[in-house]
Amino acid sequence: MSLHLQPVRVATSSDDSESQLVFAEGFLVAMLVHLSEQHEDDAGRWFLEAGFGRIPSRDHPTFLDLDEAQTWIRQQLGNAYVS
Amino acid sequence: MNSAPDHSLNMLVRKLESVAPLSHDERQAIQSLPVMTRILQPGQDIVRDGGQPSQCCLVLDGWTARYKLLSEGRRQILSFHIPGDIPDLQSLHLAVMDHSLCSMTVSTVAFIPHESLRDLTARFPGLAAALWRDTLIDAAIFREWMIGIGRKSAHGRIAHLFCEMYLKLHAVGLADHHRMPWPLTQIDIGDALGLSNVHVNRVLQNLRNQKLIILDRRNLTMGDWEGLSEMGEFDPVYLHLERRAAA
């Protein structure tokens, strides 16, 4: 499944503003936020700020980079289709 | 394990007196309970989910927490406990634990045999009533947490937790002047309030920037009690303290 990313700035009331909207087949499925220096050990990671539809955002995982995040998102979408 | 010196039970006297008046004889009876003390490292289980303990655990020093483990290693912390609390008092009447209890910090705990507690409450109905009252307050605290997790913002939940822990610590003489020990990590706060570590971190930075809190090492100072109370929609009535902290 191909994913499409679109950079946006998001208001989080913190230093975290760089964000990517993630679309799957034209549908918005997730919003990833790049964690700023204020997160110390997690700085630089990508945080699942919100997931829509089949993307569970209950546990708000973080990812090393956008590739890892997209792999995870594809897995979630795939799992959902199987189930 | 060692036999505890008598003064270890003063913590229980102090706690119960913060929620109910005690007579001289009742205080004496508590102080003569047989106890075994243990020192625990952080993160040690005291009682496990499914266990059938024959004793209750009185916290003498440090912080403990009730928690439940879910699938994929997820943890929900159900409550935090401080010196004077008996977090597994329910095991006196409910044979099987439906959650676990662990130390959050280096802690000293005193184990009181169920048999001795049963005997104490049979001989002193006033103490049975005080422990019952404490159990009801425990339930009231759960109601407040339910409101927080269900209906409050991340800021509201965290501000409410600060206000609650401050008044509980103040009631047993462990906090004053809006300053309290704060041994919890961001992950602990998140696991208790249903928030991600990232959200907890954002809120704490925000509260710091607004000078609502000052966190230095393992102490937390509340820079604006009124502001935090308002943010957390905190009304201390549910703690039913006999001697309310002058907030």
Side-chain angles (χ1 to χ4, degrees), chain B residues 10-241:
Chain B
N10 280 342
M11 216 55 236
L12 179 56
V13 170
R14 214 188 286 181
K15 163 64 192 279
L16 289 181
E17 285 193 318
S18 77
V19 297
L22 301 184
S23 71
H24 173 75
D25 288 351
E26 288 167 339
R27 279 195 295 272
Q28 290 281 87
I30 290 175
Q31 273 155 348
S32 55
L33 280 169
V35 296
M36 296 291 272
T37 58
R38 267 182 71 190
I39 296 173
L40 305 171
Q41 294 307 305
Q44 253 183 281
D45 275 337
I46 300 168
V47 199
R48 289 210 178 99
D49 202 350
Q52 299 188 40
S54 58
Q55 55 197 6
C56 285
C57 163
L58 165 66
V59 184
L60 298 179
D61 189 36
W63 288 34
T64 62
R66 292 185 184 126
Y67 72 97
K68 194 89 183 166
L69 281 184
L70 304 167
S71 62
E72 296 158 25
R74 288 170 299 145
R75 175 179 71 155
Q76 177 66 48
I77 290 178
L78 305 165
S79 54
F80 293 116
H81 296 278
I82 58 167
D85 286 351
I86 306 181
D88 61 349
L89 182 63
Q90 66 160 44
S91 69
L92 192 57
H93 295 293
L94 301 176
V96 182
M97 289 294 293
D98 53 37
H99 58 272
S100 300
L101 173 67
C102 72
S103 53
M104 300 302 287
T105 63
V106 172
S107 306
T108 308
V109 298
F111 290 105
I112 312 170
H114 281 171
E115 202 183 296
S116 308
L117 272 173
R118 282 203 190 91
D119 177 60
L120 179 82
T121 51
R123 285 190 295 126
F124 294 93
L127 285 179
L131 290 170
W132 187 5
R133 181 173 160 84
D134 187 49
T135 307
L136 293 173
I137 294 169
D138 192 42
I141 293 172
F142 273 109
R143 286 193 287 277
E144 284 292 316
W145 278 45
M146 186 186 284
I147 295 168
I149 292 172
R151 286 287 176 251
K152 287 182 188 166
S153 66
H155 277 79
R157 292 179 213 181
I158 291 174
H160 193 277
L161 178 66
F162 289 159
C163 293
E164 178 179 294
M165 293 313 299
Y166 176 75
L167 285 193
K168 283 190 67 178
L169 288 160
H170 184 273
V172 289
L174 295 174
D176 215 347
H177 300 106
H178 297 136
R179 182 176 159 86
M180 61 180 154
W182 193 261
L184 303 180
T185 65
Q186 289 183 181
I187 291 173
D188 298 333
I189 297 173
D191 284 355
L193 303 180
L195 298 169
S196 71
N197 191 31
V198 167
H199 283 116
V200 173
N201 190 32
R202 284 178 187 159
V203 172
L204 292 181
Q205 300 259 0
N206 198 257
L207 295 179
R208 276 193 190 124
N209 293 342
Q210 291 184 62
K211 308 274 187 255
L212 287 169
I213 59 162
I214 300 161
L215 271 166
D216 69 290
R217 275 169 282 179
R218 288 167 88 83
N219 285 291
L220 187 145
T221 306
M222 306 167 88
D224 179 357
W225 171 267
E226 293 300 329
L228 283 167
S229 297
E230 198 176 316
M231 182 180 280
E233 296 184 66
F234 179 77
D235 177 350
V237 167
Y238 73 98
L239 292 172
H240 301 277
L241 293 169

